[in-house]
Amino acid sequence: MKLKHALLIAGISISGLIAAQPTWEVGNTTLTEYDLVTGMQIPWEILWGPDDFIWMTSRKGEVIRINPEDGSYTTVLQKNVMNSGNGEPGMLGMAMHPDWQNTPKVFIVYCAGTSWNGEEYLSVFDWDGESLINEEILLTLDAGGIHNGSRLLVLPDNTLLMTAGDIGASALSQSLSSLQGKTLRLNLDGSIPEDNPFPDSYVYTFGNRNSQGLALGPNGLIYASEHGQNSNDEFNLIQPGGNYGWPQVEGYCNTASEQSFCEENNVVEPLMAWTPCVAVNGIEYYNHEAIPEWQNSVLMAVLGGLGGQYERLSVLHLSEDGTEVMSEDTYFSSFNQRIRDVAVNPYTGSVYVAFNGTSYPGNGPNIIKEFRNEAFASDVLEQLTAIRTKAQPNPANDLIQISWGGKGLSNATYQVFSYTGQFVATGIVTDQNLLLNTEDWSIGSYFIQIEHDLGILTCNFQVHR
Ligand SMILES: [Ca+2]
Ligand SMILES: [Ca+2]
Ligand SMILES: [Ca+2]
């Protein structure tokens, strides 16, 4: 019997089967679930880029750039990584240069070398509009089979934090002469900031085991998630010069030996700890009005532990000043999938979640899902779609028209840059399109940014002759 016929007999309408996306209730808010992109290989970092694309590292050694509208993507970097990204090493954290308009650079951590021994590189690449090129290595650490960290976070003072794991050699964490088992802080050119807590040292915190989550919170607070051994996963507040206790102290200072070590060494205790370990990972501060129930919280990806029984997205509700965790809600456990990282759409407030397969240390192919409050997002998306930018003809020879559909923009500022970092043109947009003369511009890739009420619209184009 044909399926359609069988369904009709059973009284099930075909359209009813196709129509609805799954939904999730969060208090009074309904989130609709979408598969943004599938077939990814162990996504490790996902972030919302300054170009309004979602950027992803895969542990197998790739950087993928995904269009959040339709999930189409391109591979913009490929590296040979240690053990082909199996186990824990591979391509890990990523962060974008804060002055993207003038300096489109991307910071990436990856492990390279043979089998279970090698180097971990913090590198910076130039973005040329199509690929990441011109690698410059800023820092070299040891890489191990386990505990390589490493998240990256650019701070408001234009320095870069990097979490470095203890590579399984726990004694290194308390040694200030080793870069392992630390949070490191660098200037964006790779030099040591003069106001780091220890002179001539990248070390910003020590006594860390393997932190794989970093996020900026309210009032300049910096949060980190950190893996415990069997017990005591931690959620920490990062303080310059802080000793986070490992390996002498796990979680709170609550045993006799821990208490004496904590007193002698002024150990910073976590805001929250989990026993047994649930394998805490990527974190993101959420304060978007799209999901009021999640405002002033940290969204935390949870891998689920070695036994794979605690997978979820945790929502850590913060106190008003952000210095305490008041409660934890959990979501999406029923996927039974390791959750590696989260990212947030700044316009719609949608939350993107990267899955890593069912068991340690992760297996692909994987999905990145979007959870969207349609009631909030549909208005925003309609406005965004109405003003979606197009460049014609592209490539251009002389005149190029930049247009953004039906809606006029009033007093929006545009700026044009080349992907070599040169500022080319600026002006005010007052109409429904913009005509630029590219005659005097060099051959190459350009982008325009139009700053308007809803954010910044961007569009790439080429100039050929
Ligand atoms: Ca992220
Ligand atoms: Ca600790
Ligand atoms: Ca303890």
Side-chain angles (χ1 to χ4, degrees):
M1 193 185 291
K2 290 247 167 60
L3 177 66
K4 183 176 174 182
H5 194 199
L7 292 172
L8 288 174
I9 289 171
I12 299 168
S13 86
I14 311 263
S15 61
L17 282 179
I18 298 164
Q21 294 292 126
T23 58
W24 299 78
E25 302 305 319
V26 177
N28 293 320
T29 302
T30 301
L31 300 181
T32 305
E33 171 192 331
Y34 295 95
D35 290 347
L36 172 69
V37 63
T38 64
M40 302 290 98
Q41 288 296 330
I42 327 268
W44 206 90
E45 177 70 67
I46 54 170
L47 60 83
W48 187 274
D51 56 352
D52 287 342
F53 275 67
I54 292 173
W55 292 64
M56 181 201 110
T57 62
S58 97
R59 216 165 62 216
K60 305 260 181 209
E62 292 186 328
V63 177
I64 312 269
R65 181 172 176 260
I66 305 162
N67 184 339
E69 274 181 69
D70 59 11
S72 60
Y73 64 89
T74 56
T75 302
V76 300
L77 179 68
Q78 275 179 306
K79 299 291 293 184
N80 288 326
V81 295
M82 190 166 148
N83 214 32
S84 310
N86 294 318
E88 294 183 13
M91 192 169 282
L92 304 171
M94 173 169 60
M96 320 304 263
H97 197 287
D99 186 18
W100 182 261
Q101 295 187 357
N102 299 307
T103 317
K105 287 178 181 286
V106 179
F107 301 90
I108 293 170
V109 174
Y110 65 96
C111 307
T114 53
S115 185
W116 297 116
N117 285 299
E119 277 77 50
E120 182 170 68
Y121 298 112
L122 166 60
S123 286
V124 63
F125 298 81
D126 290 328
W127 170 242
D128 73 353
E130 282 173 16
S131 312
L132 294 174
I133 57 171
N134 300 336
E135 176 174 5
E136 182 195 346
I137 296 172
L138 298 182
L139 209 55
T140 306
L141 287 79
D142 290 333
I146 55 171
H147 305 183
N148 295 294
S150 169
R151 290 286 170 190
L152 295 176
L153 177 69
V154 175
L155 300 181
D157 66 0
N158 284 349
T159 57
L160 178 67
L161 288 189
M162 169 181 177
T163 62
D166 72 2
I167 57 169
S170 59
L172 296 177
S173 294
Q174 290 289 328
S175 162
L176 287 175
S177 59
S178 165
L179 296 182
Q180 313 295 152
K182 307 291 184 305
T183 313
L184 308 174
R185 179 169 175 256
L186 303 84
N187 291 317
L188 297 180
D189 64 3
S191 61
I192 297 172
E194 277 179 14
D195 58 350
N196 262 6
F198 305 101
D200 297 320
S201 169
Y202 289 111
V203 175
Y204 198 62
T205 75
F206 63 111
N208 301 103
R209 183 173 178 272
N210 188 28
S211 170
Q212 297 192 320
L214 264 183
L216 205 56
N219 311 316
L221 296 177
I222 304 160
Y223 301 107
S225 68
E226 181 166 334
H227 290 290
Q229 185 160 244
N230 297 300
S231 63
N232 290 294
D233 278 347
E234 297 179 355
F235 181 68
N236 287 309
L237 205 49
I238 293 297
Q239 296 172 10
N243 181 348
Y244 286 75
W246 176 255
Q248 279 81 358
V249 181
E250 299 176 76
Y252 306 110
C253 303
N254 58 351
T255 68
S257 72
E258 285 180 341
Q259 276 161 353
S260 59
F261 185 89
C262 288
E263 264 171 47
E264 277 165 39
N265 296 279
N266 198 21
V267 167
V268 183
E269 292 185 275
L271 298 186
M272 195 162 173
W274 290 262
T275 297
C277 287
V278 297
V280 296
N281 228 265
I283 57 176
E284 192 78 48
Y285 178 69
Y286 191 90
N287 202 29
H288 203 288
E289 58 184 320
I291 311 175
E293 292 83 354
W294 288 358
Q295 283 186 298
N296 196 34
S297 71
V298 167
L299 308 181
M300 183 171 72
V302 176
L303 293 164
L306 290 177
Q309 64 272 57
Y310 307 109
E311 308 95 333
R312 62 183 182 245
L313 180 74
S314 280
V315 179
L316 307 178
H317 297 280
L318 300 169
S319 60
E320 204 169 316
D321 68 359
T323 59
E324 281 177 80
V325 177
M326 308 307 285
S327 62
E328 177 187 12
D329 295 337
T330 61
Y331 296 86
F332 311 143
S333 297
S334 54
F335 290 116
N336 289 315
Q337 285 268 334
R338 295 158 61 77
I339 297 183
R340 175 62 78 176
D341 199 19
V342 284
V344 175
N345 181 318
Y347 306 111
T348 64
S350 286
V351 174
Y352 302 91
V353 174
F355 292 88
N356 268 194
T358 51
S359 61
Y360 174 88
N363 53 287
N366 306 110
I367 295 179
I368 297 174
K369 286 183 184 285
E370 176 186 356
F371 297 90
R372 181 197 296 170
N373 177 6
E374 296 289 6
F376 180 90
S378 57
D379 280 359
V380 176
L381 286 173
E382 198 177 292
Q383 293 176 60
L384 282 175
T385 308
I387 52 176
R388 187 69 58 194
T389 37
K390 262 195 317 233
Q392 290 172 308
N394 185 13
N397 181 12
D398 40 36
L399 290 181
I400 186 165
Q401 178 177 271
I402 314 289
S403 60
W404 43 88
K407 281 194 185 170
L409 296 176
S410 58
N411 290 319
T413 310
Y414 75 84
Q415 291 183 293
V416 181
F417 300 89
S418 74
Y419 274 109
T420 54
Q422 266 175 317
F423 167 77
V424 179
T426 185
I428 303 283
V429 176
T430 52
D431 203 349
Q432 292 175 13
N433 57 60
L434 172 69
L435 212 53
L436 296 171
N437 190 346
T438 69
E439 247 171 18
D440 297 333
W441 304 357
S442 327
I443 291 168
S445 300
Y446 293 83
F447 63 97
I448 185 167
Q449 303 197 315
I450 306 171
E451 206 169 337
H452 63 98
D453 295 347
L454 279 171
I456 299 174
L457 285 170
T458 64
C459 185
N460 295 320
F461 59 90
Q462 313 276 327
V463 173
H464 288 181
R465 301 274 180 253

